[in-house]
Amino acid sequence: MIELSSLTVSYGETVAVDRVDLTVKTGEIMALLGPSGCGKSSLLRGIVGLEPSTGDILVDGKSVQNVPVHLRRIGMVFQEAQLFTHRDVAGNIAYGLRGLPKKEIAARVTELLALVGLEGMGERSVTTLSGGQAQRVALARSLAPRPSVLLLDEPLSALDRVLRERLSGDLREILKAAEATAVYVTHDHDEAFTVADRVGIMDFGKLLQVGTPAELLARP
Ligand code: ADP
Ligand code: ADP
């Protein structure tokens, strides 16, 4: 579970995220929907610790404001997969598992390959993957260490529309099967409503309203 209270991220005079309060329950997928420049990326970067912030961030009840990025148990998936090109698919997925017994790593990688629909592809070079496949590997890599919270920053926006529509349904299934607690930001209305349990509407750094897709669609 993640609880944000009055979370604020600023760049000098620019307030990119303005006193956002938000709770995402364990196992819930929350989408944040808003136009380019409304502060979606800054919010995620603040949560994960890539930008300084004020207010508070609780992960499973503990404040992580002063915890370094790599100890926050927060995973992140970016717009571009950013895979390690010198490692194969399995090597990418295993990245966050270093230090565990080899057998355990192999079993977890096999499980994750199946989860994201890439069975048997562990030894493929990542340079031969399609965009959709690369994002599946990035997702598996982020899920591997079982983060408390997974943040996804427009993970499908580099793909074309047909692939995006297909993958957004798959993505929801994968996140649910992984029992992930996720915050998913996008400027794409259909994607937000397909992927999420609840959707938050952002503009000008503020979280304006939050509701289930049914609740939001019912409003005038
Ligand atoms: P979104 O992800 O919704 O497109 P961003 O979080 O990227 O929005 O940007 C929110 C605001 O913060 C915008 O006004 C943007 O220009 C500004 N901003 C983002 N990153 C920086 C930065 N590194 N330095 C200064 N201003 C920034
Ligand atoms: P996924 O990751 O959902 O499996 P892929 O990107 O791997 O999607 O694509 C699945 C199949 O569709 C592959 O055979 C691939 O060659 C093909 N494909 C990939 N991108 C496109 C596209 N933009 N339009 C049509 N077919 C595509």
Side-chain angles (χ1 to χ4, degrees), residues 121-150:
M121 290 182 59
E123 285 167 25
R124 277 277 290 272
S125 161
V126 299
T127 57
T128 66
L129 301 178
S130 69
Q133 290 170 332
Q135 276 307 45
R136 288 169 189 263
V137 175
L139 185 61
R141 181 178 62 185
S142 304
L143 289 169
R146 304 183 196 279
S148 295
V149 179
L150 184 66

PDB file of all heavy atoms in Angstrom, residues 121-150:
ATOM      1  N   MET A 121      11.764 -17.621 -23.986  1.00  0.00           N
ATOM      2  CA  MET A 121      12.544 -16.585 -24.673  1.00  0.00           C
ATOM      3  C   MET A 121      13.696 -16.031 -23.834  1.00  0.00           C
ATOM      4  O   MET A 121      14.301 -15.021 -24.202  1.00  0.00           O
ATOM      5  CB  MET A 121      11.624 -15.453 -25.130  1.00  0.00           C
ATOM      6  CG  MET A 121      10.725 -15.920 -26.266  1.00  0.00           C
ATOM      7  SD  MET A 121       9.661 -14.622 -26.898  1.00  0.00           S
ATOM      8  CE  MET A 121      10.868 -13.429 -27.398  1.00  0.00           C
ATOM      9  N   GLY A 122      14.028 -16.709 -22.726  1.00  0.00           N
ATOM     10  CA  GLY A 122      15.057 -16.221 -21.810  1.00  0.00           C
ATOM     11  C   GLY A 122      16.410 -15.977 -22.437  1.00  0.00           C
ATOM     12  O   GLY A 122      17.134 -15.066 -22.039  1.00  0.00           O
ATOM     13  N   GLU A 123      16.744 -16.774 -23.446  1.00  0.00           N
ATOM     14  CA  GLU A 123      18.089 -16.647 -24.021  1.00  0.00           C
ATOM     15  C   GLU A 123      18.139 -15.742 -25.236  1.00  0.00           C
ATOM     16  O   GLU A 123      19.200 -15.573 -25.842  1.00  0.00           O
ATOM     17  CB  GLU A 123      18.640 -18.043 -24.345  1.00  0.00           C
ATOM     18  CG  GLU A 123      19.064 -18.728 -23.046  1.00  0.00           C
ATOM     19  CD  GLU A 123      19.340 -20.213 -23.189  1.00  0.00           C
ATOM     20  OE1 GLU A 123      19.678 -20.654 -24.296  1.00  0.00           O
ATOM     21  OE2 GLU A 123      19.194 -20.901 -22.163  1.00  0.00           O
ATOM     22  N   ARG A 124      17.004 -15.141 -25.578  1.00  0.00           N
ATOM     23  CA  ARG A 124      16.994 -14.206 -26.711  1.00  0.00           C
ATOM     24  C   ARG A 124      17.790 -12.951 -26.369  1.00  0.00           C
ATOM     25  O   ARG A 124      17.768 -12.470 -25.238  1.00  0.00           O
ATOM     26  CB  ARG A 124      15.550 -13.784 -27.028  1.00  0.00           C
ATOM     27  CG  ARG A 124      14.792 -14.750 -27.888  1.00  0.00           C
ATOM     28  CD  ARG A 124      15.067 -14.562 -29.371  1.00  0.00           C
ATOM     29  NE  ARG A 124      14.495 -13.318 -29.892  1.00  0.00           N
ATOM     30  CZ  ARG A 124      13.247 -13.207 -30.370  1.00  0.00           C
ATOM     31  NH1 ARG A 124      12.445 -14.251 -30.373  1.00  0.00           N
ATOM     32  NH2 ARG A 124      12.812 -12.047 -30.837  1.00  0.00           N
ATOM     33  N   SER A 125      18.468 -12.425 -27.370  1.00  0.00           N
ATOM     34  CA  SER A 125      19.129 -11.135 -27.185  1.00  0.00           C
ATOM     35  C   SER A 125      18.058 -10.054 -27.168  1.00  0.00           C
ATOM     36  O   SER A 125      17.129 -10.083 -27.985  1.00  0.00           O
ATOM     37  CB  SER A 125      20.088 -10.885 -28.349  1.00  0.00           C
ATOM     38  OG  SER A 125      20.388  -9.509 -28.423  1.00  0.00           O
ATOM     39  N   VAL A 126      18.156  -9.113 -26.255  1.00  0.00           N
ATOM     40  CA  VAL A 126      17.100  -8.098 -26.166  1.00  0.00           C
ATOM     41  C   VAL A 126      17.083  -7.173 -27.383  1.00  0.00           C
ATOM     42  O   VAL A 126      16.085  -6.513 -27.649  1.00  0.00           O
ATOM     43  CB  VAL A 126      17.176  -7.256 -24.858  1.00  0.00           C
ATOM     44  CG1 VAL A 126      17.020  -8.151 -23.636  1.00  0.00           C
ATOM     45  CG2 VAL A 126      18.438  -6.437 -24.786  1.00  0.00           C
ATOM     46  N   THR A 127      18.188  -7.169 -28.138  1.00  0.00           N
ATOM     47  CA  THR A 127      18.232  -6.300 -29.318  1.00  0.00           C
ATOM     48  C   THR A 127      17.337  -6.836 -30.440  1.00  0.00           C
ATOM     49  O   THR A 127      17.071  -6.122 -31.403  1.00  0.00           O
ATOM     50  CB  THR A 127      19.676  -6.162 -29.852  1.00  0.00           C
ATOM     51  OG1 THR A 127      20.172  -7.478 -30.128  1.00  0.00           O
ATOM     52  CG2 THR A 127      20.572  -5.490 -28.838  1.00  0.00           C
ATOM     53  N   THR A 128      16.862  -8.083 -30.327  1.00  0.00           N
ATOM     54  CA  THR A 128      16.006  -8.661 -31.369  1.00  0.00           C
ATOM     55  C   THR A 128      14.524  -8.552 -31.032  1.00  0.00           C
ATOM     56  O   THR A 128      13.684  -9.050 -31.771  1.00  0.00           O
ATOM     57  CB  THR A 128      16.326 -10.163 -31.578  1.00  0.00           C
ATOM     58  OG1 THR A 128      15.959 -10.879 -30.384  1.00  0.00           O
ATOM     59  CG2 THR A 128      17.806 -10.389 -31.858  1.00  0.00           C
ATOM     60  N   LEU A 129      14.175  -7.920 -29.920  1.00  0.00           N
ATOM     61  CA  LEU A 129      12.773  -7.874 -29.483  1.00  0.00           C
ATOM     62  C   LEU A 129      12.002  -6.741 -30.156  1.00  0.00           C
ATOM     63  O   LEU A 129      12.571  -5.688 -30.462  1.00  0.00           O
ATOM     64  CB  LEU A 129      12.707  -7.672 -27.969  1.00  0.00           C
ATOM     65  CG  LEU A 129      13.380  -8.729 -27.092  1.00  0.00           C
ATOM     66  CD1 LEU A 129      13.247  -8.334 -25.629  1.00  0.00           C
ATOM     67  CD2 LEU A 129      12.793 -10.106 -27.338  1.00  0.00           C
ATOM     68  N   SER A 130      10.695  -6.957 -30.326  1.00  0.00           N
ATOM     69  CA  SER A 130       9.813  -5.870 -30.757  1.00  0.00           C
ATOM     70  C   SER A 130       9.598  -4.924 -29.573  1.00  0.00           C
ATOM     71  O   SER A 130       9.918  -5.266 -28.429  1.00  0.00           O
ATOM     72  CB  SER A 130       8.470  -6.441 -31.198  1.00  0.00           C
ATOM     73  OG  SER A 130       7.771  -6.959 -30.078  1.00  0.00           O
ATOM     74  N   GLY A 131       9.016  -3.779 -29.857  1.00  0.00           N
ATOM     75  CA  GLY A 131       8.758  -2.804 -28.795  1.00  0.00           C
ATOM     76  C   GLY A 131       7.872  -3.364 -27.690  1.00  0.00           C
ATOM     77  O   GLY A 131       8.112  -3.156 -26.509  1.00  0.00           O
ATOM     78  N   GLY A 132       6.844  -4.104 -28.104  1.00  0.00           N
ATOM     79  CA  GLY A 132       5.914  -4.689 -27.134  1.00  0.00           C
ATOM     80  C   GLY A 132       6.602  -5.730 -26.260  1.00  0.00           C
ATOM     81  O   GLY A 132       6.413  -5.776 -25.046  1.00  0.00           O
ATOM     82  N   GLN A 133       7.442  -6.538 -26.911  1.00  0.00           N
ATOM     83  CA  GLN A 133       8.177  -7.568 -26.158  1.00  0.00           C
ATOM     84  C   GLN A 133       9.166  -6.926 -25.187  1.00  0.00           C
ATOM     85  O   GLN A 133       9.322  -7.382 -24.055  1.00  0.00           O
ATOM     86  CB  GLN A 133       8.922  -8.485 -27.122  1.00  0.00           C
ATOM     87  CG  GLN A 133       7.988  -9.385 -27.922  1.00  0.00           C
ATOM     88  CD  GLN A 133       8.713 -10.107 -29.044  1.00  0.00           C
ATOM     89  OE1 GLN A 133       9.720  -9.621 -29.576  1.00  0.00           O
ATOM     90  NE2 GLN A 133       8.200 -11.264 -29.425  1.00  0.00           N
ATOM     91  N   ALA A 134       9.826  -5.866 -25.641  1.00  0.00           N
ATOM     92  CA  ALA A 134      10.808  -5.186 -24.774  1.00  0.00           C
ATOM     93  C   ALA A 134      10.119  -4.652 -23.520  1.00  0.00           C
ATOM     94  O   ALA A 134      10.645  -4.757 -22.409  1.00  0.00           O
ATOM     95  CB  ALA A 134      11.502  -4.062 -25.544  1.00  0.00           C
ATOM     96  N   GLN A 135       8.895  -4.108 -23.695  1.00  0.00           N
ATOM     97  CA  GLN A 135       8.184  -3.596 -22.516  1.00  0.00           C
ATOM     98  C   GLN A 135       7.755  -4.732 -21.597  1.00  0.00           C
ATOM     99  O   GLN A 135       7.710  -4.579 -20.375  1.00  0.00           O
ATOM    100  CB  GLN A 135       6.972  -2.748 -22.914  1.00  0.00           C
ATOM    101  CG  GLN A 135       7.275  -1.285 -23.231  1.00  0.00           C
ATOM    102  CD  GLN A 135       8.053  -0.545 -22.146  1.00  0.00           C
ATOM    103  OE1 GLN A 135       9.034  -1.026 -21.589  1.00  0.00           O
ATOM    104  NE2 GLN A 135       7.637   0.667 -21.829  1.00  0.00           N
ATOM    105  N   ARG A 136       7.466  -5.886 -22.163  1.00  0.00           N
ATOM    106  CA  ARG A 136       7.142  -7.052 -21.324  1.00  0.00           C
ATOM    107  C   ARG A 136       8.350  -7.455 -20.477  1.00  0.00           C
ATOM    108  O   ARG A 136       8.211  -7.805 -19.304  1.00  0.00           O
ATOM    109  CB  ARG A 136       6.690  -8.231 -22.196  1.00  0.00           C
ATOM    110  CG  ARG A 136       5.305  -8.035 -22.803  1.00  0.00           C
ATOM    111  CD  ARG A 136       4.997  -9.078 -23.866  1.00  0.00           C
ATOM    112  NE  ARG A 136       3.765  -8.724 -24.553  1.00  0.00           N
ATOM    113  CZ  ARG A 136       2.567  -9.235 -24.255  1.00  0.00           C
ATOM    114  NH1 ARG A 136       2.463 -10.141 -23.308  1.00  0.00           N
ATOM    115  NH2 ARG A 136       1.498  -8.846 -24.908  1.00  0.00           N
ATOM    116  N   VAL A 137       9.539  -7.397 -21.085  1.00  0.00           N
ATOM    117  CA  VAL A 137      10.770  -7.722 -20.335  1.00  0.00           C
ATOM    118  C   VAL A 137      10.997  -6.673 -19.234  1.00  0.00           C
ATOM    119  O   VAL A 137      11.329  -7.011 -18.094  1.00  0.00           O
ATOM    120  CB  VAL A 137      11.991  -7.804 -21.274  1.00  0.00           C
ATOM    121  CG1 VAL A 137      13.280  -8.025 -20.472  1.00  0.00           C
ATOM    122  CG2 VAL A 137      11.808  -8.921 -22.299  1.00  0.00           C
ATOM    123  N   ALA A 138      10.794  -5.410 -19.580  1.00  0.00           N
ATOM    124  CA  ALA A 138      10.982  -4.335 -18.583  1.00  0.00           C
ATOM    125  C   ALA A 138      10.026  -4.534 -17.402  1.00  0.00           C
ATOM    126  O   ALA A 138      10.404  -4.346 -16.238  1.00  0.00           O
ATOM    127  CB  ALA A 138      10.761  -2.974 -19.236  1.00  0.00           C
ATOM    128  N   LEU A 139       8.807  -4.940 -17.710  1.00  0.00           N
ATOM    129  CA  LEU A 139       7.815  -5.172 -16.660  1.00  0.00           C
ATOM    130  C   LEU A 139       8.245  -6.349 -15.772  1.00  0.00           C
ATOM    131  O   LEU A 139       8.205  -6.260 -14.539  1.00  0.00           O
ATOM    132  CB  LEU A 139       6.467  -5.459 -17.333  1.00  0.00           C
ATOM    133  CG  LEU A 139       5.261  -5.617 -16.442  1.00  0.00           C
ATOM    134  CD1 LEU A 139       5.001  -4.336 -15.656  1.00  0.00           C
ATOM    135  CD2 LEU A 139       4.023  -5.958 -17.294  1.00  0.00           C
ATOM    136  N   ALA A 140       8.688  -7.441 -16.409  1.00  0.00           N
ATOM    137  CA  ALA A 140       9.152  -8.611 -15.647  1.00  0.00           C
ATOM    138  C   ALA A 140      10.351  -8.244 -14.772  1.00  0.00           C
ATOM    139  O   ALA A 140      10.436  -8.653 -13.614  1.00  0.00           O
ATOM    140  CB  ALA A 140       9.529  -9.747 -16.607  1.00  0.00           C
ATOM    141  N   ARG A 141      11.259  -7.442 -15.320  1.00  0.00           N
ATOM    142  CA  ARG A 141      12.442  -7.030 -14.550  1.00  0.00           C
ATOM    143  C   ARG A 141      12.023  -6.231 -13.315  1.00  0.00           C
ATOM    144  O   ARG A 141      12.579  -6.405 -12.229  1.00  0.00           O
ATOM    145  CB  ARG A 141      13.372  -6.193 -15.438  1.00  0.00           C
ATOM    146  CG  ARG A 141      14.635  -5.738 -14.722  1.00  0.00           C
ATOM    147  CD  ARG A 141      15.554  -4.954 -15.634  1.00  0.00           C
ATOM    148  NE  ARG A 141      14.927  -3.733 -16.132  1.00  0.00           N
ATOM    149  CZ  ARG A 141      15.490  -2.917 -17.026  1.00  0.00           C
ATOM    150  NH1 ARG A 141      16.677  -3.204 -17.531  1.00  0.00           N
ATOM    151  NH2 ARG A 141      14.856  -1.837 -17.422  1.00  0.00           N
ATOM    152  N   SER A 142      11.036  -5.359 -13.473  1.00  0.00           N
ATOM    153  CA  SER A 142      10.594  -4.536 -12.342  1.00  0.00           C
ATOM    154  C   SER A 142       9.853  -5.360 -11.294  1.00  0.00           C
ATOM    155  O   SER A 142       9.925  -5.060 -10.110  1.00  0.00           O
ATOM    156  CB  SER A 142       9.668  -3.430 -12.819  1.00  0.00           C
ATOM    157  OG  SER A 142      10.304  -2.673 -13.795  1.00  0.00           O
ATOM    158  N   LEU A 143       9.123  -6.384 -11.757  1.00  0.00           N
ATOM    159  CA  LEU A 143       8.349  -7.213 -10.818  1.00  0.00           C
ATOM    160  C   LEU A 143       9.224  -8.228 -10.092  1.00  0.00           C
ATOM    161  O   LEU A 143       8.854  -8.710  -9.018  1.00  0.00           O
ATOM    162  CB  LEU A 143       7.236  -7.955 -11.569  1.00  0.00           C
ATOM    163  CG  LEU A 143       6.069  -7.105 -12.068  1.00  0.00           C
ATOM    164  CD1 LEU A 143       5.191  -7.917 -13.027  1.00  0.00           C
ATOM    165  CD2 LEU A 143       5.224  -6.590 -10.894  1.00  0.00           C
ATOM    166  N   ALA A 144      10.385  -8.561 -10.668  1.00  0.00           N
ATOM    167  CA  ALA A 144      11.211  -9.668 -10.155  1.00  0.00           C
ATOM    168  C   ALA A 144      11.479  -9.584  -8.651  1.00  0.00           C
ATOM    169  O   ALA A 144      11.247 -10.555  -7.933  1.00  0.00           O
ATOM    170  CB  ALA A 144      12.511  -9.775 -10.942  1.00  0.00           C
ATOM    171  N   PRO A 145      11.957  -8.449  -8.130  1.00  0.00           N
ATOM    172  CA  PRO A 145      12.235  -8.399  -6.692  1.00  0.00           C
ATOM    173  C   PRO A 145      10.998  -8.190  -5.812  1.00  0.00           C
ATOM    174  O   PRO A 145      11.153  -7.914  -4.624  1.00  0.00           O
ATOM    175  CB  PRO A 145      13.205  -7.220  -6.569  1.00  0.00           C
ATOM    176  CG  PRO A 145      13.103  -6.439  -7.819  1.00  0.00           C
ATOM    177  CD  PRO A 145      12.327  -7.216  -8.826  1.00  0.00           C
ATOM    178  N   ARG A 146       9.809  -8.396  -6.375  1.00  0.00           N
ATOM    179  CA  ARG A 146       8.550  -8.226  -5.656  1.00  0.00           C
ATOM    180  C   ARG A 146       8.480  -6.881  -4.919  1.00  0.00           C
ATOM    181  O   ARG A 146       8.449  -6.830  -3.680  1.00  0.00           O
ATOM    182  CB  ARG A 146       8.330  -9.358  -4.636  1.00  0.00           C
ATOM    183  CG  ARG A 146       8.369 -10.737  -5.233  1.00  0.00           C
ATOM    184  CD  ARG A 146       8.077 -11.795  -4.179  1.00  0.00           C
ATOM    185  NE  ARG A 146       8.477 -13.126  -4.629  1.00  0.00           N
ATOM    186  CZ  ARG A 146       7.758 -13.904  -5.433  1.00  0.00           C
ATOM    187  NH1 ARG A 146       6.593 -13.494  -5.877  1.00  0.00           N
ATOM    188  NH2 ARG A 146       8.202 -15.077  -5.805  1.00  0.00           N
ATOM    189  N   PRO A 147       8.454  -5.796  -5.685  1.00  0.00           N
ATOM    190  CA  PRO A 147       8.396  -4.471  -5.048  1.00  0.00           C
ATOM    191  C   PRO A 147       7.065  -4.277  -4.320  1.00  0.00           C
ATOM    192  O   PRO A 147       6.061  -4.891  -4.702  1.00  0.00           O
ATOM    193  CB  PRO A 147       8.499  -3.506  -6.236  1.00  0.00           C
ATOM    194  CG  PRO A 147       7.967  -4.282  -7.403  1.00  0.00           C
ATOM    195  CD  PRO A 147       8.394  -5.713  -7.154  1.00  0.00           C
ATOM    196  N   SER A 148       7.069  -3.449  -3.289  1.00  0.00           N
ATOM    197  CA  SER A 148       5.811  -3.139  -2.588  1.00  0.00           C
ATOM    198  C   SER A 148       4.882  -2.347  -3.491  1.00  0.00           C
ATOM    199  O   SER A 148       3.668  -2.468  -3.399  1.00  0.00           O
ATOM    200  CB  SER A 148       6.093  -2.311  -1.341  1.00  0.00           C
ATOM    201  OG  SER A 148       6.827  -3.064  -0.429  1.00  0.00           O
ATOM    202  N   VAL A 149       5.474  -1.504  -4.330  1.00  0.00           N
ATOM    203  CA  VAL A 149       4.703  -0.655  -5.235  1.00  0.00           C
ATOM    204  C   VAL A 149       5.416  -0.621  -6.583  1.00  0.00           C
ATOM    205  O   VAL A 149       6.638  -0.551  -6.637  1.00  0.00           O
ATOM    206  CB  VAL A 149       4.613   0.794  -4.699  1.00  0.00           C
ATOM    207  CG1 VAL A 149       3.831   1.675  -5.668  1.00  0.00           C
ATOM    208  CG2 VAL A 149       3.976   0.829  -3.323  1.00  0.00           C
ATOM    209  N   LEU A 150       4.630  -0.667  -7.658  1.00  0.00           N
ATOM    210  CA  LEU A 150       5.192  -0.554  -9.006  1.00  0.00           C
ATOM    211  C   LEU A 150       4.661   0.719  -9.651  1.00  0.00           C
ATOM    212  O   LEU A 150       3.453   0.943  -9.688  1.00  0.00           O
ATOM    213  CB  LEU A 150       4.786  -1.775  -9.841  1.00  0.00           C
ATOM    214  CG  LEU A 150       5.380  -1.835 -11.240  1.00  0.00           C
ATOM    215  CD1 LEU A 150       6.894  -2.013 -11.175  1.00  0.00           C
ATOM    216  CD2 LEU A 150       4.766  -2.972 -12.042  1.00  0.00           C
TER     217      LEU A 150
END
